[in-house]
Amino acid sequence: MNEAEAAMGLTNLESLDEFIETNRRNYLAYREGLSGIPGIRLREYDQRHRRNAQYVVVEVEESSSGLSRDAVMRTLHAENVLARRYFWPGCHRMEPYRTLFPHVGLLLPQTERIASRVLCLPTGSAVSTDAIGAICEIMQLAIGHAERISG
């Protein structure tokens, strides 16, 4: 780490509690906004443990929502929401594992299932609770019109 990176790190440490509180606020706003949307499940965390809440992860269950994770992501991208796949592809799909063990996905069905369903939603100090409300509304509308979106 060079001196500039170290200085930035120290400056960020001074604001760490604020960052964590903002991320927690955003997480709670997502939890409220996403509740009741069929097939969208927010990754819950044990609130007794201190965490930085830097990721807001949802699981998209296509059989309940009518849309795949990728269809939800494309819809969000079309609305300028920078959602992304979470830990995708799985490590076994990257080199050198992909070449050494081309059929390992058959041995990891749960990893394959989860890797195809999880989505990371925007959070951080640049994301307001109003923006989170709009993101949740986009997801609600997308799921409500799943037939037209996926068809």
Side-chain angles (χ1 to χ4, degrees), residues 35-89:
S35 68
I37 300 178
I40 303 295
R41 186 172 56 112
L42 180 68
R43 170 74 169 100
E44 294 286 338
Y45 298 97
D46 188 336
Q47 297 298 317
R48 295 174 298 170
H49 299 138
R50 184 179 161 127
R51 52 183 291 278
N52 64 11
Q54 72 179 7
Y55 293 112
V56 174
V57 180
V58 295
E59 187 175 341
V60 180
E61 173 56 58
E62 186 172 0
S63 65
S64 301
S65 69
L67 293 175
S68 68
R69 180 267 322 268
D70 290 345
V72 172
M73 185 176 69
R74 282 191 301 273
T75 302
L76 291 169
H77 286 182
E79 297 296 327
N80 295 313
V81 177
L82 299 178
R84 61 184 177 82
R85 291 175 235 173
Y86 187 67
F87 292 120
W88 187 90

